[in-house]
Amino acid sequence: MLQYIKERAIARHEVREIEQRHTIDGPRPDATLDEEDDVVIIYNRVPKTASTSFTNIAYDLCARNKYHVLHINTTKNNPVMSLQDQVRFVKNVTSWKEMKPGFYHGHISYLDFAKFGVKKKPIYINVIRDPIERLVSYYYFLRFGDDYRPGLRRRKQGDKKTFDECVAAGGSDCAPEKLWLQIPFFCGHSSECWNPGSRWALEQAKYNLINEYFLVGVTEELEDFIMLLEAALPRFFRGATELYRTGKKSHLRKTTEKKLPTKETIAKLQQSEIWKMENEFYEFALEQFQYVRAHAVREKDGELYILAQNFFYEKIYPKSN
């Protein structure tokens, strides 16, 4: 609790510093921002999908590319906001000019800004992972942590039971219900989204992925995801691909002591309806990502290259004198 209070105090101090700096530099006029600057990206990151590695690229680039990065820190990492917090968050994101252009990231489920009557919605992006691989990584992360903050005590520290042993014993930390996470993160704040095995939640998550997300990548092809973002949104991601390839933080967070599950363990989990739905969603996202990539790049000598602009305008009337 003391740590939480300390973090909130530091966050409030940082916000005040930024606002004071903008005041000293000269307040922004009440007029609307330049179109290029009036942009907000929300990365509602799913746990254990390489989200820390990707987010650190945003932090490394923000000063160079002149945008702000803000972490959405919810109490106890609860991905569902109260109704009043939803209103506050939407107001912050849309009205906080000092933080634009802005890149917001945090473990929160999708929030439909249109419900709140805003004129310009943020750009949503995300990354998902093979559901069993994600659960295995999270299982060991809770017990052994990672190489990002190796000294931090984790919630299940001291529990030496392997993931295989947990599944064999029917443990709660490896139950099929624990797979139900990527679907609700994309489905949103409706109660049915968090009902494990809900077909409605799956279809809503698919709908949102196609209609509300600018781009959704997969952990297994993270570099290609970054390459596409740099090509499409250079205001934020100019230099991201090279940084990912050469930077020290490219694969920053590795879960410690992780042991791959046996074929028998995987087969047992794959019998559940929850796994089938989560895997269906993952395959759906993967197919969509590969479709977008196929229309954006070309391959030469084993390397991918972004396609140049492939349209132009002609037959423009009336003719100017």
Side-chain angles (χ1 to χ4, degrees):
M1 187 63 184
L2 289 175
Q3 180 66 21
Y4 173 70
I5 295 172
K6 182 180 178 182
E7 289 177 353
R8 288 198 59 147
I10 293 172
R12 284 194 295 268
H13 177 70
E14 290 175 344
V15 169
R16 282 197 299 269
E17 276 192 335
I18 292 170
E19 291 178 336
Q20 288 170 3
R21 188 163 65 246
H22 278 287
T23 303
I24 293 170
D25 294 340
R28 293 191 180 187
D30 291 334
T32 56
L33 299 169
D34 291 339
E35 185 177 354
E36 189 180 48
D37 288 341
D38 191 14
V39 179
V40 169
I41 292 176
I42 295 181
Y43 172 35
N44 64 316
R45 45 195 283 196
V46 180
K48 304 312 296 177
T49 57
S51 63
T52 299
S53 298
F54 175 63
T55 302
N56 273 302
I57 290 176
Y59 276 109
D60 287 346
L61 291 174
C62 66
R64 184 196 314 176
N65 291 345
K66 294 181 170 55
Y67 63 88
H68 295 92
V69 181
L70 300 91
H71 178 218
I72 310 158
N73 188 348
T74 60
T75 304
K76 296 183 179 180
N77 285 327
N78 186 355
V80 177
M81 291 182 173
S82 67
L83 186 61
Q84 58 270 32
D85 273 349
Q86 293 176 41
V87 173
R88 294 182 187 113
F89 179 62
V90 170
K91 183 178 181 181
N92 290 156
V93 169
T94 55
S95 304
W96 202 358
K97 292 183 179 180
E98 289 80 7
M99 293 297 108
K100 290 183 179 179
F103 180 98
Y104 291 75
H105 68 96
H107 296 313
I108 58 170
S109 57
Y110 169 75
L111 183 61
D112 181 9
F113 275 58
K115 289 173 59 176
F116 301 86
V118 301
K119 295 179 180 179
K120 187 172 184 179
K121 297 197 293 185
I123 297 173
Y124 270 94
I125 62 172
N126 216 325
V127 177
I128 68 171
R129 186 177 185 178
D130 174 276
I132 291 181
E133 290 183 6
R134 193 206 65 79
L135 179 59
V136 171
S137 181
Y138 189 61
Y139 177 88
Y140 285 108
F141 171 73
L142 291 180
R143 285 153 178 78
F144 301 102
D146 54 30
D147 55 1
Y148 182 50
R149 290 185 290 178
L152 187 64
R153 183 175 179 83
R154 300 296 173 179
R155 185 162 17 120
K156 297 286 185 175
Q157 189 169 323
D159 180 4
K160 305 295 185 181
K161 187 183 297 181
T162 68
F163 188 80
D164 288 329
E165 292 169 344
C166 177
V167 172
S172 59
D173 285 347
C174 54
E177 288 75 16
K178 295 294 184 180
L179 290 166
W180 191 258
L181 190 68
Q182 297 186 132
I183 286 174
F185 259 70
F186 279 79
C187 178
H189 278 67
S190 300
S191 63
E192 187 65 16
C193 294
W194 297 89
N195 182 11
S198 167
R199 173 58 59 176
W200 180 89
L202 170 59
E203 296 306 321
Q204 185 65 37
K206 287 181 179 179
Y207 176 88
N208 288 342
L209 186 148
I210 295 298
N211 294 285
E212 304 296 344
Y213 280 79
F214 180 76
L215 184 66
V216 176
V218 294
T219 303
E220 296 79 6
E221 298 175 15
L222 189 60
E223 182 177 324
D224 294 354
F225 172 71
I226 293 169
M227 182 189 299
L228 291 177
L229 284 176
E230 180 173 358
L233 300 172
R235 178 68 180 80
F236 287 83
F237 298 105
R238 185 179 292 108
T241 307
E242 184 65 20
L243 182 63
Y244 180 79
R245 290 172 176 170
T246 61
K248 294 179 181 179
K249 297 181 180 179
S250 296
H251 302 285
L252 177 62
R253 199 165 191 166
K254 292 186 175 69
T255 302
T256 307
E257 301 287 339
K258 184 169 65 177
K259 297 177 176 63
L260 296 178
T262 64
K263 292 181 180 179
E264 292 75 17
T265 296
I266 294 173
K268 186 173 182 178
L269 286 173
Q270 288 177 342
Q271 292 174 6
S272 72
E273 289 300 316
I274 292 176
W275 173 83
K276 291 175 183 176
M277 287 188 179
E278 277 280 347
N279 191 64
E280 181 181 334
F281 180 66
Y282 170 76
E283 294 289 346
F284 179 84
L286 177 61
E287 182 180 355
Q288 174 65 13
F289 175 71
Q290 292 177 340
Y291 177 84
V292 172
R293 183 180 60 189
H295 287 79
V297 303
R298 64 182 175 87
E299 184 176 354
K300 183 179 180 181
D301 300 327
E303 293 287 331
L304 294 180
Y305 297 90
I306 294 292
L307 291 173
Q309 182 170 313
N310 202 27
F311 72 92
F312 60 93
Y313 304 102
E314 62 179 3
K315 299 178 181 180
I316 302 173
Y317 288 86
K319 296 291 186 181
S320 58
N321 293 331

